[in-house]
Each structure stands twice: as C-alpha cells, then as structure tokens.
Amino acid sequence: MKVKWTFLLAALMLFAACGRKQQHTYTNDLLLPMTPVKNQGKSELCWAYAMLATIETEHLVRGDSVNLSPVYIGRMLKMEKTTLSTIGLRNGEHEKSSQRAMGQTLLNMIQKYGIVPYDVLPDDATDDLPTPRWVFMLGARYTPWEFAHSVCAPDEYLSLTCFPDSPYNKKIVVPVPDNWEQNLLLNLPMDTLRHHVDRALRQRHPVCWESRGHAMCIVGMAHDEAGRPYYVMKNSWGPKGPHGGLVYMSVRKMWKDMIALYLTKEAFGY
C-alpha cells in the first residue's frame, strides 16, 4: 500500500512539473529605446499600437521624442468604416464593424487623417473627450494632418511579407481578412527578409511585426540561458508581467507566425 501511494505522489509531482511553463532567463543583446508601454484594453487596435510604437522608437533613436495616440486612429477608423459602409464600398461584418486591420492601414490612416499626441487622447480616453482639431507643439499650432507629416513622411515605410506561392520581388495582396484595404506588400524570400530584419535591428531600427492574431513592435534581440535566440517585442497590453510589457519571442516562432513586417526604407537598406 505504501509503495502504491509513493508511486501516486511521484506521478502527481511529475504531472504538476509538466504543467508548469518553463521559465527562462533572458539576456538582452540589443534593446532599443521605447516610449512607455501602452494598453489597448478590449480594443482590436494592436496593429495601430504596434505601428505607432515603431514610429516612436524610430524617432527616439534619431534623438527626437514623440508619443502618439492609437485612440485617435480608432476614432478615425470608425468614421472611415461608417462612411465606406454608407456608400456601399465595403461589405461584410468584418469590414463594417471590426477594428482589425494591418500596419499599412495605420500608415494610410495618418496620411489621410493625421495623428495627435498620446497625452491629449490617452488609452483611457472616454467617448465624451473630444477629438482634438489642433496639435500644439513648441509654441506652434498644427492640424493633425500637418503633425503626422512631421513624424512620418509619405512612403517612408516599406510593407513586406513572404508568401512562397506568390512571385518573389513583386508586390502582392496578402490574402488575410485583416487586409480589407487590399494593400500591396513586397513579397520576399524568407532568408532575404530575415537578413534585412536582423540587419535593421543591429543598425538600431525597430520593426513592426504582424501575425494572424496579433501585432507587436520588435525592439531588440536576446538569448536565453542555453544560448537560444529571441526577438524582444514591445506589446500593447500594459506594463504587465515579469518584463514590464515586453515579450521574448523565439526566433523560430516569430518567423513561423509572421504575416507582415514594416520598417523604414533606411532600415531596409535602400
């Protein structure tokens, strides 16, 4: 009987150990400067948070400082989709009601509607807080559109993907529901894409990463106690967890789940 209970206890301990997620110790090989981690809450605006985080870090690396409002983009997106639905240019529940989109959507939105600083429309802004008509900066007054062009020039960023079934070195429409705008992305072989992304990070440029379910900004590179490589991602779920809102994603998982990447032409090496 004693042997039976000893065996049962050992089995339970082994089961508990297998159920616990292995904790790794990470060492940063490279970590770019960042604005504070934001919190998208219950919204589906991760693509806006990730792309704006990329723009913000790109400015910080240059010695500039901007902190931008994803909530403003959410409001503009709602207005855009309401207009498109009214005039019958979009059909389907996804297009009419979902906040989901891609990084290129953010770039398109700020070129069309502009952007405002985070402090005037923060994450916790309620609907009764009016959308700013002006941006005041260093004693000058700008429209949101004028302000946007000072932080992100038209065509400053490249949209990249890897779809082996489509021709390489050509722009393609990525066939995912989030690409409801039918944006074109440059299709590159995986090894070429990885070369440019790793080179960009080592040259101190952030990269916006998208999968089918989430988007984050790559702000660094790291390794664990066994020497396995990771990308350091800035998430948009608030400064939570053991790394204050950062996520350490294995290189294998990052490339396996990748749908789209966004980086400046300078970062790409044009």
Side-chain angles (χ1 to χ4, degrees), residues 35 38 48-49 51-53 55-56 59 66-73 106 110 115-119 121-123 137 147-148 151-152:
T35 54
K38 299 181 177 70
Y49 280 81
M51 194 68 236
L52 289 177
I55 295 171
E56 291 164 358
H59 275 263
V66 292
N67 197 6
L68 306 170
S69 172
V71 171
Y72 176 84
I73 296 299
L106 182 282
I110 66 174
I115 191 66
V116 302
Y118 177 81
D119 59 357
L121 269 186
D123 290 338
M137 189 70 62
F147 179 62
V151 298
C152 184

Side-chain angles (χ1 to χ4, degrees), residues 145-161:
W145 186 84
E146 290 169 334
F147 179 62
H149 280 244
S150 72
V151 298
C152 184
D155 300 323
E156 182 176 351
Y157 281 80
L158 292 173
S159 304
L160 308 172
T161 191

Side-chain angles (χ1 to χ4, degrees), residues 41-98:
K42 296 181 180 180
S43 78
E44 298 179 293
L45 297 171
C46 61
W47 51 274
Y49 280 81
M51 194 68 236
L52 289 177
T54 304
I55 295 171
E56 291 164 358
T57 286
E58 187 70 39
H59 275 263
L60 289 172
V61 168
R62 298 173 189 172
D64 191 12
S65 179
V66 292
N67 197 6
L68 306 170
S69 172
V71 171
Y72 176 84
I73 296 299
R75 292 186 179 186
M76 297 301 104
L77 179 69
K78 182 178 180 180
M79 180 175 68
E80 172 92 352
K81 289 198 170 187
T82 299
T83 300
L84 292 175
S85 178
T86 299
I87 63 179
L89 292 182
R90 298 290 179 194
N91 296 307
E93 191 63 25
H94 184 279
E95 288 85 355
K96 287 189 290 185
S97 63
S98 175

Side-chain angles (χ1 to χ4, degrees), residues 1 8 16-17 32 63 84 86 93 96 98 125 129 139 147 182 199 229 235 251 261:
M1 191 68 171
L8 179 60
L32 300 177
L84 292 175
T86 299
E93 191 63 25
K96 287 189 290 185
S98 175
L129 184 63
F147 179 62
Q182 301 289 290
R199 176 187 178 277
N235 205 356
V251 167
L261 296 165

Side-chain angles (χ1 to χ4, degrees), residues 11 16 25 59 121 131 152 188 190 210 212 215 229 233 236 243 261:
T25 300
H59 275 263
L121 269 186
T131 302
C152 184
L188 295 176
M190 184 65 74
E210 283 193 78
R212 291 184 183 272
M233 317 285 237
S236 53
H243 309 295
L261 296 165

Side-chain angles (χ1 to χ4, degrees), residues 60-249:
L60 289 172
V61 168
R62 298 173 189 172
D64 191 12
S65 179
V66 292
N67 197 6
L68 306 170
S69 172
V71 171
Y72 176 84
I73 296 299
R75 292 186 179 186
M76 297 301 104
L77 179 69
K78 182 178 180 180
M79 180 175 68
E80 172 92 352
K81 289 198 170 187
T82 299
T83 300
L84 292 175
S85 178
T86 299
I87 63 179
L89 292 182
R90 298 290 179 194
N91 296 307
E93 191 63 25
H94 184 279
E95 288 85 355
K96 287 189 290 185
S97 63
S98 175
Q99 291 181 317
R100 294 180 64 91
M102 299 183 73
Q104 183 64 48
T105 305
L106 182 282
L107 298 171
N108 298 341
M109 295 288 288
I110 66 174
Q111 295 305 324
K112 185 174 183 179
Y113 297 107
I115 191 66
V116 302
Y118 177 81
D119 59 357
V120 298
L121 269 186
D123 290 338
D124 59 357
T126 54
D127 291 341
D128 59 348
L129 184 63
T131 302
R133 295 180 56 198
W134 303 102
V135 175
F136 297 92
M137 189 70 62
L138 301 176
R141 187 180 75 170
Y142 305 92
T143 65
W145 186 84
E146 290 169 334
F147 179 62
H149 280 244
S150 72
V151 298
C152 184
D155 300 323
E156 182 176 351
Y157 281 80
L158 292 173
S159 304
L160 308 172
T161 191
C162 178
F163 271 77
D165 294 337
S166 298
Y168 286 134
N169 300 307
K170 296 184 181 296
K171 291 187 175 182
I172 65 170
V173 175
V174 176
V176 295
D178 291 350
N179 191 18
W180 50 268
E181 291 181 301
Q182 301 289 290
N183 288 308
L184 295 171
L185 289 81
L186 180 61
N187 191 33
L188 295 176
M190 184 65 74
D191 58 347
T192 301
L193 196 53
R194 181 166 176 173
H195 165 77
H196 282 286
V197 166
D198 289 353
R199 176 187 178 277
L201 291 167
R202 293 190 179 103
Q203 294 292 324
R204 297 183 59 78
H205 293 282
V207 178
C208 182
W209 170 89
E210 283 193 78
S211 69
R212 291 184 183 272
H214 196 42
M216 293 186 283
C217 175
I218 309 176
V219 292
M221 307 173 81
H223 64 274
D224 67 13
E225 67 282 353
R228 291 175 291 244
Y230 293 77
Y231 291 106
V232 187
M233 317 285 237
K234 182 185 181 184
N235 205 356
S236 53
W237 296 344
K240 303 174 182 177
H243 309 295
L246 298 182
V247 172
Y248 286 79
M249 182 178 292

